[in-house]
Amino acid sequence: MAQQTLSVVDSHTGGEPTRIIVAGGPDLDGPLSNRVQQLRNTADYIRTSVILEPRGSDVLVGGLLTPPAASDCAAGIIFFNNVDYLHMCGHGTIGLAVTLAHMGTLQTGSHQFDTPVGVVSATLHDANRVTIRNVPSWRYRAGVSVEIPGHGPVTGDVAWGGNWFFLVSEHGQSLTLDNTDVLTRFTEAIRDALKRQGITGADNGLIDHIELFDISDSADSRNFVLCPGGAYDRSPCGTGTSAKLACLAADGKLQAGETWVQESIVGSAFEGSFEAVEASADLPTGVGPVIVPSITGSAWITAESTLFLDESDPFRTGIQA
Ligand code: PYC
């Protein structure tokens, strides 16, 4: 084929962009967790051409719309970024619901989406506002110290919120938008040190998101979240806010049904709350409590486009190192 085209709809959720492939993607089958492997092994160029320059940027999160494997779901979705596939993406799921509403295929009300880590639900309140009910989330380890070269020890919690996070409250950094270069280098150093020191999530899960917290004038907390590919999340990060709620629940600092407002580094906010659920038998003993987080945020459509992947284009599949 001389030229392949992909139809995409772009949105942003609290400033963080999402690009959903709504037509032209590959046919995949089986459970969503298998489809990620199929995509990675047979059509990773879809991810790279949509996300990498010259069509995308490191900040962008992509999503491939695919028919759901679970019959009670409105759609299946596989999220990815500039380096790999995400297990789940909270801001992206809010963007997905707003995208489908924009396309006229999702009405206000509650819907379920199939993801590689389980079914999540999304309640579309209006054209822009969405509440997602995320996968069960929990703290794995508390008060883990890691030695950062040139800085000293940093202590944080390891928690699952749909991705693995290291959450740090005591860090001595200024969480302001004019300090993101410093924050990026600092959190990358934490992520590298965790890897070097063999600190992981359960089942050796790679901790690829680092989250710093500070006080906020207008919310319960402000955060800075380093994403796996080195960009920082412009939104408060849906899976990161879920991990935070799990830690608050574990410390008894937030009760089921109470609202937590998480502000991002750019000043956008998510409202979070949780319900407590029974731990499933496959979780390591002693972790938890296990919660099901709900995250509310707003997204806006920014573009509808056709991407051209021309065989004669030397950067057809993106600029790769
Ligand atoms: O909102 O969960 C999220 C997310 C993960 C990476 C970027 N955003």
Side-chain angles (χ1 to χ4, degrees):
M1 188 192 308
Q3 181 168 269
Q4 182 178 357
T5 58
L6 297 169
S7 304
V8 300
V9 177
D10 289 358
S11 61
H12 80 83
T13 307
E16 178 74 354
T18 308
R19 173 170 286 173
I20 304 288
I21 303 170
V22 298
D27 290 335
L28 305 169
D29 55 34
L32 270 277
S33 51
N34 291 2
R35 291 188 208 182
V36 178
Q37 294 308 330
Q38 288 169 36
L39 193 54
R40 181 184 274 121
N41 295 339
T42 65
D44 193 50
Y45 76 92
I46 294 286
R47 176 185 68 79
T48 59
S49 38
V50 166
I51 295 294
L52 300 183
E53 296 176 9
R55 295 177 197 80
S57 85
D58 288 357
V59 183
L60 197 53
V61 169
L64 174 67
L65 203 55
T66 178
S71 59
D72 49 355
C73 289
I77 186 76
I78 297 171
F79 289 112
F80 45 81
N81 64 14
N82 52 336
V83 290
D84 205 352
Y85 296 84
L86 290 161
H87 301 291
M88 223 315 266
C89 182
H91 93 268
T93 307
I94 294 170
L96 169 66
V98 167
T99 293
L100 295 179
H102 169 77
M103 293 168 63
T105 57
L106 203 76
Q107 310 304 313
T108 51
S110 286
H111 309 274
Q112 307 216 98
F113 296 125
D114 209 353
T115 83
V117 287
V119 171
V120 300
S121 73
T123 303
L124 181 70
H125 302 290
D126 58 32
N128 304 103
R129 194 125 182 103
V130 178
T131 299
I132 64 162
R133 194 167 179 274
N134 196 6
V135 294
S137 303
W138 38 283
R139 181 163 74 184
Y140 177 50
R141 293 175 66 187
V144 176
S145 275
V146 62
E147 187 65 30
I148 311 301
H151 178 87
V154 167
T155 302
D157 292 353
V158 179
W160 170 257
N163 292 300
W164 282 109
F165 286 82
F166 191 67
L167 302 95
V168 183
S169 295
E170 302 294 324
H171 43 69
Q173 304 292 322
S174 165
L175 295 201
T176 54
L177 198 48
D178 58 4
N179 197 34
T180 53
D181 287 351
V182 170
L183 295 171
T184 299
R185 281 195 294 276
F186 178 64
T187 46
E188 281 177 341
I190 295 177
R191 188 191 54 200
D192 294 349
L194 288 167
K195 196 169 176 193
R196 253 193 329 272
Q197 292 169 43
I199 298 168
T200 67
D203 297 326
N204 292 322
L206 179 71
I207 302 171
D208 54 6
H209 291 73
I210 310 296
E211 191 166 7
L212 308 179
F213 295 93
D214 202 354
I215 53 166
S216 160
D217 291 338
S218 55
D220 291 301
S221 162
R222 182 176 176 83
N223 70 7
F224 173 89
V225 182
L226 177 76
C227 297
Y232 65 89
D233 198 330
R234 275 63 174 166
S235 85
C237 191
T239 51
T241 301
S242 298
K244 175 68 176 175
L245 294 174
C247 294
L248 290 166
D251 288 332
K253 291 182 176 166
L254 193 74
Q255 306 305 315
E258 289 179 348
T259 300
W260 179 266
V261 181
Q262 186 64 59
E263 184 185 32
S264 76
I265 191 76
V266 307
S268 56
F270 285 165
E271 285 172 25
S273 63
F274 69 86
E275 64 186 82
V277 293
E278 288 291 315
S280 63
D282 56 341
L283 289 191
T285 48
V287 304
V290 180
I291 63 160
V292 174
S294 290
I295 308 290
T296 301
S298 297
W300 284 266
I301 301 297
T302 54
E304 274 182 347
S305 340
T306 304
L307 304 183
F308 296 103
L309 280 59
D310 193 302
E311 260 182 11
S312 67
D313 178 354
F315 298 116
R316 173 178 184 268
T317 60
I319 300 174
Q320 307 194 40

